[in-house]
Amino acid sequence: MTAPEPAGPLDGHLDDDYPAYTLGRAAEMLGTTQGFLRAIGEARLITQLRSAGGHRRYSRYQLRIAARARELVDQGTPIEAACRIVILEDQLEEAQRINAGYRRAAGSANPPSAA
C-alpha cells in the first residue's frame, strides 16, 4: 500500500507524531475549547508535549484522537467515558493491525500446495 498524496500545505513535511500545533490552534481546528483539550489531557487520553517555553503542543495523531473524543462528548457521553472508549478503540485497531501482520506472515510461510 502506498502513502496517500499530500492533501494540504503541511502534508508530507510533518509526520503524524510531530507536535506541530499549539493549544489554541488545536482547539480552533477541532472547533472546541482549550479547556476541552486540557480536560482530555487530565483524563490521560492524550499526553501533549511541551515546547521549550512550556506551551502545550499537539500532533496530528493526537488531534484525531481528540476529535473522536469530542464527537462522543457531543453525543452526550461523559468525558471520562469518552476517553476510555477512545483508548479502547485505539487499542483494538492496533491489535487488529498486529493480527493482520501475523496472518500475512503465516500465509507467506505456508504457501498453498499445487494440486
Side-chain angles (χ1 to χ4, degrees), residues 20-43:
Y21 305 100
T22 64
L23 177 63
R25 179 69 178 131
E28 179 183 313
M29 290 170 67
L30 295 173
T32 191
T33 64
Q34 293 179 14
F36 174 80
L37 290 173
R38 287 187 197 102
I40 63 173
E42 290 170 11

Side-chain angles (χ1 to χ4, degrees), residues 68-108:
R68 176 65 180 133
R70 164 84 194 272
E71 180 182 311
L72 290 167
V73 169
D74 287 349
Q75 294 171 1
T77 306
I79 195 163
E80 296 82 14
C83 290
R84 185 66 180 144
I85 289 167
V86 173
I87 289 167
L88 291 170
E89 288 174 342
D90 196 49
Q91 289 173 344
L92 176 60
E93 184 178 319
E94 177 68 9
Q96 289 172 331
R97 186 191 63 74
I98 291 168
N99 285 340
Y102 288 147
R103 284 191 202 101
R104 281 191 302 276
S108 64

Side-chain angles (χ1 to χ4, degrees), residues 56-72:
R56 289 176 173 89
R57 305 291 290 197
Y58 297 88
S59 68
R60 290 180 186 180
Y61 172 75
Q62 290 172 321
L63 294 183
R64 284 194 301 273
I65 295 290
R68 176 65 180 133
R70 164 84 194 272
E71 180 182 311
L72 290 167

